[in-house]
Amino acid sequence: MQDKPTYLTRPYLPPLDEFLPYLQEIWESRRLTNGGPFHEQFEEALRQYLRVPQVSLFANGTLALMTALQALRITGEVITTPYTFAATTHALLWNGIKPVFVDIRRDTCNLDEELVEAAITPRTTAILPVHCYGNPCASGRLQQIADTYGLKLIYDAAHAFGVSVDGHSLLELGDLAVVSFHATKVFNTFEGGAIISRDARIKQRIDYLKNFGFADEITVVAPGINGKMNEFQAALGLLQLRHVEQAIAARNQIDRRYRQALRSVPGVQCLPSADGVRSNGGYFPVLIGPDYPLSRDQLYDEFRRNNIYVRRYFFPPISELPMYRGLASAAPANLPVATSIAKQVLCLPIHPDLDGQAVDRVIEVIAAFV
Ligand SMILES: *Cc1c(COP(=O)(O)O)cnc(C)c1O
């Protein structure tokens, strides 16, 4: 038993003295929010870092998701994954949209693109997939389906900050992509988020919507919300950008250490890393199969006894929550892969401050039973 707890994640923060000059500037200027100078700088810096056409900053990822659906006037039914964080599906309900669940693929834990067409009805207006754990969705096929049926494609890319495929950011894909800068994510501004869009016109609409719909002092063009990112968050974001590559490298090193060590443990399966993907090391999920001597929950308890805080991301599937389980598409028989993975998954600790010794302790707990 080690006394120092090992957490699933630990928010990354830059050295405090690097942040003080930013705070001083905010205190002196008294520009606290409403598209201040740090907001403008951070938006531009992110656009360049992520190599995407347009960025709209938000106070958090959930408001960004809700606004993305509003911006494209999504209504009726939206096809989505049951294997995600609650915010994805809740954003649909908050917009009065009916989620239609489609099962996931075992190799990526993402929406199974081959099952999407069968779930389309005359009321379907969009597809809302998630790049789960930062694993890229089958975006070529999803875009083709969206084009064929005249649907919008909005990615919940909350896990995908800094992920690229063959040098292209995942965030370029679809009509809109939404990222989160929550404390637990790879890149954080305490709370925060953004919508990545294709062109200046759609960005303009998003920016109206996040500020109550104000186009100017006396013109309100839409029933907008208050989704604005403040200057504290934006200043921190600017500073965090200077450290994020290092943080991702440290995470990816832990990813390699786990993969190497777990290769020889029967019954424990890592998700395959896809070719050409620069991943961000945001999560390290493993599947505890029937060949492993303990059940997933027994191993979870064993970690707790060792002061190691792993998480069952994502369990239960969103489709089993009380506000969704009555939907026809939520039936476990319709979602066999998601249902089975949710019972097997454990996310292991991974964050830039996790040292090699702590990683080895995690591996030892798993290996002790084989
Ligand atoms: C974190 C997360 C969100 C919500 O982002 P917040 O910034 O916490 O509001 C949405 N979807 C997924 C998949 C997430 O993991």
Side-chain angles (χ1 to χ4, degrees), residues 83-328:
Y83 193 76
T84 181
F85 182 63
T88 314
T89 335
H90 287 355
L92 294 171
L93 277 207
W94 274 73
N95 276 292
I97 296 163
K98 178 177 165 185
V100 174
F101 296 111
V102 160
D103 207 5
I104 59 171
R105 288 166 53 140
R106 213 162 227 293
D107 55 349
T108 58
C109 295
N110 290 332
L111 202 60
D112 186 335
E113 66 281 6
E114 293 312 324
L115 302 177
V116 168
E117 271 182 299
I120 296 172
T121 77
R123 289 172 301 283
T124 310
T125 57
I127 311 172
L128 177 62
V130 179
H131 298 295
C132 192
Y133 311 128
N135 289 328
C137 288
S139 55
R141 180 74 182 117
L142 288 171
Q143 188 63 61
Q144 191 184 33
I145 295 168
D147 292 344
T148 303
Y149 291 87
L151 307 177
K152 298 292 187 193
L153 182 55
I154 302 175
Y155 284 101
D156 179 339
H159 300 176
F161 189 96
V163 179
S164 52
V165 184
D166 298 326
H168 290 277
S169 171
L170 268 196
L171 306 176
E172 281 178 15
L173 302 170
D175 292 290
L176 299 176
V178 175
V179 268
S180 164
F181 311 143
H182 182 258
T184 55
K185 304 299 206 275
V186 166
F187 175 87
N188 87 79
T189 57
F190 287 19
E191 296 259 11
I195 301 180
I196 312 303
S197 53
R198 297 282 71 93
D199 60 60
R201 274 161 49 225
I202 180 72
K203 173 179 161 56
Q204 179 67 265
R205 176 158 169 80
I206 292 164
D207 289 349
Y208 290 152
L209 282 169
K210 77 175 185 186
N211 188 30
F212 312 99
F214 277 103
D216 62 40
E217 240 176 79
I218 54 167
T219 316
V220 180
V221 296
I225 198 165
N226 181 359
K228 302 186 302 290
M229 175 178 277
N230 67 45
E231 286 292 278
F232 181 97
Q233 292 171 290
L236 180 61
L238 264 177
L239 178 55
Q240 293 279 54
L241 263 190
R242 305 220 303 252
H243 296 274
V244 70
E245 280 298 313
Q246 210 182 330
I248 290 175
R251 286 172 172 276
N252 280 333
Q253 199 170 345
I254 296 167
D255 181 292
R256 284 192 291 275
R257 200 170 178 127
Y258 277 136
R259 275 182 199 280
Q260 181 78 29
L262 294 174
R263 203 170 291 160
S264 55
V265 180
V268 175
Q269 194 194 328
C270 305
L271 295 190
S273 38
D275 288 341
V277 177
R278 199 294 283 255
S279 87
N280 63 10
Y283 299 84
F284 197 86
V286 292
L287 303 180
I288 308 303
D291 304 345
Y292 187 76
L294 303 188
S295 73
R296 187 272 308 269
D297 288 342
Q298 285 170 327
L299 180 58
Y300 175 89
D301 292 340
E302 194 55 35
F303 273 121
R304 275 294 166 100
R305 269 194 285 283
N306 282 274
N307 226 358
I308 296 170
Y309 293 80
V310 298
R311 290 293 295 267
R312 286 162 284 199
Y313 279 152
F314 291 101
F315 174 82
I318 298 308
S319 45
E320 292 179 16
L321 301 181
M323 59 299 279
Y324 302 112
R325 66 187 173 211
L327 296 168

